[in-house]
Amino acid sequence: MNTYHSGLTAQFDALLAGREQELCAVLHTREAQADTGEARSDVIDFKDIAIEDTLAVVDEVQAENAAHELEQVLAARRRLQDHRYGACLDCGEAIDLRRLAAMPATPFCTGCQAVHEQEHAALARH
Ligand SMILES: [Zn+2]
């Protein structure tokens, strides 16, 4: 298994910085939509409605997911700076490099992630 090493810091920092920008853009789009929505809430204009439909609409769920992922990205960047990046936060084992390349913000190894997902699923059922 290939694992993360300090020679990859710049590469992963660039990956995470790019993801951070994307997520910030999503959240700003959401804020802008909330602003314009309030400003003309009492004016119903069919032209405006048509334009809104064609815009990429960022809904509440998307914004929440983006905010959550942004937290993970920022935490991952802090771990990069502190030289703690690449190790699972739960078990402390090195995370597979392929997993990190696909999901640079992930704080868990594959095994611990599966446990967390099962816990979430169990909570959702109750
Ligand atoms: Zn783990």
Side-chain angles (χ1 to χ4, degrees):
M1 178 174 100
N2 285 322
T3 55
Y4 172 81
H5 58 84
S6 58
L8 297 168
T9 304
Q11 223 172 310
F12 274 89
D13 197 46
L15 260 178
L16 287 163
R19 192 66 193 135
E20 185 183 333
Q21 277 186 351
E22 281 172 25
L23 293 166
C24 283
V26 169
L27 292 171
H28 284 155
T29 306
R30 175 67 195 163
E31 273 170 32
Q33 281 167 1
D35 285 350
T36 54
E38 258 173 55
R40 51 186 174 82
S41 56
D42 55 350
V43 181
I44 297 168
D45 184 321
F46 287 109
K47 200 173 66 197
D48 283 351
I49 292 169
I51 289 167
E52 265 177 25
D53 279 347
T54 58
L55 286 176
V57 174
V58 179
D59 65 27
E60 206 74 48
V61 176
Q62 253 180 305
E64 262 173 42
N65 287 343
H68 177 72
E69 196 186 337
L70 184 60
E71 271 173 36
Q72 288 204 325
V73 168
L74 293 175
R77 292 192 76 186
R78 273 198 298 276
R79 290 198 299 279
L80 265 182
Q81 302 301 320
D82 297 344
H83 309 287
R84 288 182 293 122
Y85 185 77
C88 175
L89 286 191
D90 261 12
C91 66
E93 292 291 319
I95 302 172
D96 192 319
L97 195 58
R98 280 170 306 178
R99 177 172 165 79
L100 284 175
M103 289 179 286
T106 187
F108 303 120
C109 70
T110 318
C112 293
Q113 178 76 51
V115 171
H116 280 280
E117 276 168 15
Q118 273 168 17
E119 280 170 3
H120 277 293
L123 284 174
R125 273 199 300 272
H126 288 298

